[in-house]
Amino acid sequence: MDSRHIGIGMTSQRTRLRMVERLREQGIRDETVLAAMGEVPRHIFIDEALASRAYEDLSLPIGFGQTISAPLTVARMLELARGGRTPMRALEIGTGCGYQAAVLARIAKEVFSVERIAALLGRARRSLRELRTGNVKLKHADGNFGLPDLAPFDLIVMAAAAPEVPEALTTQLDVGGRLVMPIGTREQRLVLIERTDKGLVETRLEDVHFVPLLPGTRV
Ligand code: SAH
């Protein structure tokens, strides 16, 4: 552990277990997701000045106008996307600081995560390396197109809101696969899309608030 994490490192395990208890009280039932969130040190993904708040039920700024989602949001998305399975090949759109990718890495066999802002991706890469997360591959790309060369995926999560579901993503969803993302602009709903052998089934869930999915890439 490097020096910037020592102060909080002493108490983070306990604080993290309290976070997991809170997630349980808030209705998260998936033990695999809860265990993964109990393992990943969330504070290492957050700027030192804010790290003491890492385990509170808050989204926090990560620079470039972006945010790390609140723990409940990450847990809820992953619980829905997992659907009780052990996904083989997962795709995340919007790596951000890399926290959700690190949790996903403990749920799925292989994780691909796409981010449009190169500087965020660089930081995420360092944090994931620090945790020795070997089964996550990061890509600097526009997630609107998914990752056609690596499809199909049996789990897709998108951490940014789009007015509608990008067609590339449903195309890259395997039969039996589950896609979870926020839909909408000012008013957003979480949406679950399942590809069954008869086609796509869409379920609209609770209201949420995410940063927007933007086009293209930047440094
Ligand atoms: N899962 C992240 C949450 C990041 S917020 C975490 O754990 O921190 C959403 C992220 O989506 C932002 O970093 C934003 O830059 C990214 N994003 C927005 N539009 C995108 C696009 N078209 N392709 C890839 N990433 C995108």
Side-chain angles (χ1 to χ4, degrees):
M1 186 171 293
D2 76 42
S3 58
R4 82 199 149 102
H5 302 135
I6 283 176
I8 193 167
M10 308 292 285
T11 54
S12 70
Q13 178 67 31
R14 230 175 25 222
T15 321
R16 200 148 61 236
L17 293 178
R18 272 206 299 276
M19 177 188 80
V20 169
E21 279 322 303
R22 211 170 50 232
L23 291 172
R24 242 185 251 286
E25 288 160 15
Q26 288 165 319
I28 302 300
R29 294 279 168 268
D30 187 327
E31 291 298 330
T32 303
V33 171
L34 290 168
M37 292 191 61
E39 281 174 21
V40 178
R42 186 170 155 93
H43 61 278
I44 76 155
F45 293 91
I46 293 171
D47 195 64
E48 196 179 4
L50 293 169
S52 65
R53 315 203 68 181
Y55 298 98
E56 294 176 28
D57 199 14
L58 293 172
S59 61
L60 292 166
I62 54 173
F64 306 90
Q66 305 304 320
T67 54
I68 176 176
S69 306
L72 180 59
T73 307
V74 173
R76 175 77 175 136
M77 295 256 286
L78 295 183
E79 178 174 67
L80 282 167
R82 194 174 91 84
R85 308 161 302 150
T86 300
M88 299 307 288
R89 216 171 163 75
L91 172 64
E92 178 189 40
I93 310 292
T95 314
C97 66
Y99 173 71
Q100 179 162 275
V103 178
L104 191 49
R106 285 162 171 78
I107 291 172
K109 295 276 183 228
E110 208 178 4
V111 178
F112 298 90
S113 184
V114 175
E115 171 57 56
R116 65 181 286 277
I117 302 176
L120 279 177
L121 203 64
R123 257 197 257 156
R125 188 164 276 131
R126 281 195 294 281
S127 299
L128 290 167
R129 198 175 299 140
E130 191 176 331
L131 295 184
R132 299 190 168 73
T133 308
N135 59 333
V136 179
K137 298 209 173 55
L138 303 180
K139 308 253 178 215
H140 184 216
D142 180 355
N144 277 294
F145 304 105
L147 286 175
D149 296 348
L150 293 161
F153 301 97
D154 52 0
L155 181 158
I156 302 178
V157 278
M158 192 155 107
E164 52 196 54
V165 183
E167 202 185 313
L169 299 189
T170 50
T171 307
Q172 292 170 31
L173 194 61
D174 208 352
V175 176
R178 295 162 75 93
L179 158 65
V180 177
M181 64 174 284
I183 290 287
T185 46
R186 283 201 9 239
E187 288 177 6
Q188 302 171 6
R189 300 275 297 269
L190 207 55
V191 173
L192 165 67
I193 292 168
E194 296 163 272
R195 180 177 287 286
T196 70
D197 48 13
K198 295 190 188 66
L200 298 172
V201 179
E202 183 177 312
T203 313
R204 296 209 161 217
L205 301 148
E206 66 266 25
D207 290 347
V208 284
H209 188 73
F210 280 82
V211 296
L213 187 76
L214 298 173
T217 58
R218 50 167 283 193
V219 290

